[in-house]
Amino acid sequence: MIGSEFSSEIKQYKDKKTGREIFQLTGDGSNNFHFYFTDNSFSLHDEDIYFLSDRSSQKKEIYNLFKMNLESGKIIQLTDEENGIEPSYHTKTPESDIIVYITGSKVKKIDNRTYKTTVLYEEKDNVLLGHPHISPNKKHIGLIRTENASIARGANYIGFKETMFATKKSWITIIHLDGTGVENIYEDTHWLGHFQFSPTDSNLAMFCHEGPWNLVHQRIWVLDIEKQSVTPIYRQNEHDCIGHEFWTFNGLIFFDNRRKGHDGTITVHKTQATILEKSIKDIPFVGLSNSKGVILKQYDLPSYCNHYHSNPNNTLLVGDEVEDLLLIHLQEDKVSIETLCTHKTSWNTQQTHCHPTFSWDGTQILFTSDRDGPCNLYLVKLDKEDGRKP
């Protein structure tokens, strides 16, 4: 029920590998996971986090939205959708005053002051709705709409490649938050994904050509909404395998290049991450670009990682290896890497992916793990020197 309150479930433990204090934020036996890493679960002043949970549902993995106060641990239910919210198909403003999510064929908005819910759009055609994102001026929602290729999708990337080949048409659609209209502003003959407005310019958005990284010819694109024109970010050649692109807090773009042959996945078999074969000559790297496609930095890495997120001044990345979270210290063109803590997640579905995310002030990292069975939320507080290490 909307407005229902749940007592704190927070408990602390020391990570056995690094000795750091870890806060397990949820633990009532339900499944809980935070916003996708292209969003931010934290409220702007880092007092609350927002997340999905099946704690109030009659069936497991029927998710609704909740918020937690990090000081008290108190949890409040924000939605009560009978059929649940599509996992990872939810977003919010940094201030958390507006939350948008998809349930079934509907795009809904919550006013977080009143909990009032409004239907902004309902899909009538045989088209799938993608991850929504809110413009920084709070006037628009952008999302990908893709023809329904009717390919069965499941855990461990079942149907991922098949969906890429079967999808022949996608649209980027803008929905006005005041309810005045909906318009398609871009059409493509590829499977599109990862739509994200720039955090600093409501006229710019990033999206990707989706699919296994080693099969996608050009992954990252920036869209000028007014001109309805696109710019490729990092023009790829046949040895590039690129993904996990996200906007930095100041409007730059980080991306991951696994190099030749890597499809970008990690599954329960844990065979497509971390280990860099000696025979591979192309070194994987993390790149930093501006919105015009100019590469500002390239940081070579000694091994693969999975997901990255940056602190506010882009000097520190957090990434998830197979069993651990890593801190990746960036200095000029070099990196140094240290283990932050273990996560021990199974990698079975997207909901079990860690997707570590920095708080707005860069002092906390939030992640998900099913190390004890259900998916739960975990928090690591960084030391002051963590962001300054060379």
Side-chain angles (χ1 to χ4, degrees):
M1 181 181 295
I2 295 174
S4 294
E5 296 188 4
F6 302 80
S7 299
S8 175
E9 300 162 12
I10 297 175
K11 58 184 179 183
Q12 290 178 249
Y13 65 92
K14 277 196 174 183
D15 184 74
K16 292 182 179 179
K17 181 174 284 190
T18 65
R20 287 190 183 253
E21 290 288 339
I22 312 297
F23 294 83
Q24 181 177 334
L25 302 180
T26 58
D28 71 336
S30 62
N31 291 294
N32 309 269
F33 62 95
H34 59 306
F35 280 45
Y36 197 55
F37 73 100
T38 55
D39 294 277
N40 198 315
S41 284
F42 290 89
S43 278
L44 191 57
H45 300 295
D46 300 327
E47 298 169 348
D48 303 309
I49 60 166
Y50 290 74
F51 62 100
L52 254 63
S53 177
D54 61 7
R55 63 182 56 236
S56 291
S57 303
Q58 294 183 355
K59 295 181 180 180
K60 288 291 185 183
E61 299 185 2
I62 300 296
Y63 296 104
N64 274 285
L65 277 163
F66 296 79
K67 72 174 179 179
M68 176 192 297
N69 180 271
L70 290 175
E71 182 176 353
S72 68
K74 185 174 73 173
I75 298 168
I76 299 176
Q77 184 170 345
L78 303 178
T79 66
D80 192 13
E81 296 289 349
E82 182 179 357
N83 296 317
I85 294 171
E86 293 291 330
S88 298
Y89 285 32
H90 46 91
T91 188
K92 67 178 187 65
T93 58
E95 297 85 359
S96 307
D97 54 332
I98 301 171
I99 305 171
V100 172
Y101 64 89
I102 292 173
T103 177
S105 60
K106 296 178 179 178
V107 180
K108 292 188 174 184
K109 176 185 74 171
I110 309 171
D111 183 326
N112 201 18
R113 296 163 297 180
T114 63
Y115 299 161
K116 180 183 177 182
T117 302
T118 305
V119 177
L120 293 173
Y121 177 77
E122 184 172 5
E123 185 60 58
K124 302 293 186 182
D125 299 320
N126 189 28
V127 170
L128 301 177
L129 300 175
H131 181 112
H133 206 259
I134 302 170
S135 60
N137 64 10
K138 303 182 185 180
K139 292 184 178 180
H140 309 110
I141 300 166
L143 51 72
I144 306 292
R145 297 169 57 250
T146 304
E147 66 171 339
N148 188 352
S150 299
I151 302 294
R153 299 285 306 279
N156 295 300
Y157 292 87
I158 290 174
F160 187 50
K161 180 175 68 174
E162 293 80 0
T163 299
M164 185 197 78
F165 281 112
T167 302
K168 305 303 179 187
K169 210 166 191 180
S170 296
W171 303 265
I172 295 177
T173 300
I174 297 296
I175 303 170
H176 301 288
L177 270 167
D178 61 5
T180 57
V182 177
E183 55 188 315
N184 294 329
I185 61 167
Y186 186 75
E187 182 177 315
D188 208 330
T189 57
H190 295 263
W191 179 21
L192 303 184
H194 268 215
F195 179 90
Q196 312 162 52
F197 277 106
S198 163
T200 60
D201 187 342
S202 294
N203 185 54
L204 294 181
M206 180 164 52
F207 66 94
C208 76
H209 284 182
E210 187 61 278
W213 296 9
N214 56 323
L215 299 179
V216 172
H217 293 173
Q218 176 62 42
R219 166 83 181 197
I220 313 173
W221 302 84
V222 165
L223 170 67
D224 184 304
I225 293 172
E226 289 182 3
K227 295 180 180 178
Q228 298 186 6
S229 63
V230 296
T231 300
I233 302 299
Y234 192 81
R235 292 176 179 266
Q236 294 179 225
N237 65 41
E238 61 181 323
H239 290 181
D240 294 316
C241 297
I242 286 176
H244 292 146
E245 64 285 345
F246 66 92
W247 292 103
T248 66
F249 291 3
N250 62 343
L252 300 178
I253 298 167
F254 265 118
F255 64 90
D256 179 12
N257 190 348
R258 304 281 177 86
R259 306 307 294 262
K260 186 177 180 179
H262 201 298
D263 69 10
T265 67
I266 181 170
T267 70
V268 290
H269 304 296
K270 303 177 182 179
T271 56
Q272 269 288 70
T274 303
I275 303 303
L276 184 62
E277 297 177 11
K278 293 182 180 179
S279 60
I280 294 178
K281 297 180 181 179
D282 293 324
I283 298 173
F285 67 83
V286 174
L288 182 65
S289 169
N290 66 18
S291 61
K292 296 182 180 180
V294 177
I295 304 303
L296 306 175
K297 295 285 185 180
Q298 179 176 314
Y299 300 97
D300 291 345
L301 297 175
S303 63
Y304 301 131
C305 208
N306 298 302
H307 308 99
Y308 300 94
H309 198 243
S310 65
N311 67 349
N313 58 5
N314 305 328
T315 60
L316 183 66
L317 297 174
V318 61
D320 47 9
E321 256 203 15
V322 172
E323 303 291 353
D324 303 327
L325 295 188
L326 304 178
L327 290 179
I328 303 169
H329 302 276
L330 307 177
Q331 186 181 35
E332 295 303 327
D333 297 330
K334 298 180 181 179
V335 302
S336 62
I337 298 176
E338 66 171 309
T339 300
L340 177 65
C341 64
T342 59
H343 60 71
K344 296 184 178 179
T345 199
S346 71
W347 301 104
N348 185 44
T349 65
Q350 285 290 321
Q351 285 70 62
T352 67
H353 286 196
C354 302
H355 291 141
T357 309
F358 274 99
S359 60
W360 291 100
D361 68 0
T363 66
Q364 302 175 87
I365 292 170
L366 180 68
F367 68 97
T368 298
S369 173
D370 64 347
R371 63 190 298 158
D372 297 321
C375 284
N376 280 305
L377 294 169
Y378 297 83
L379 187 74
V380 187
K381 296 183 178 181
L382 299 183
D383 299 327
K384 288 183 179 180
E385 61 269 20
D386 282 322
R388 296 199 295 264
K389 291 180 181 178

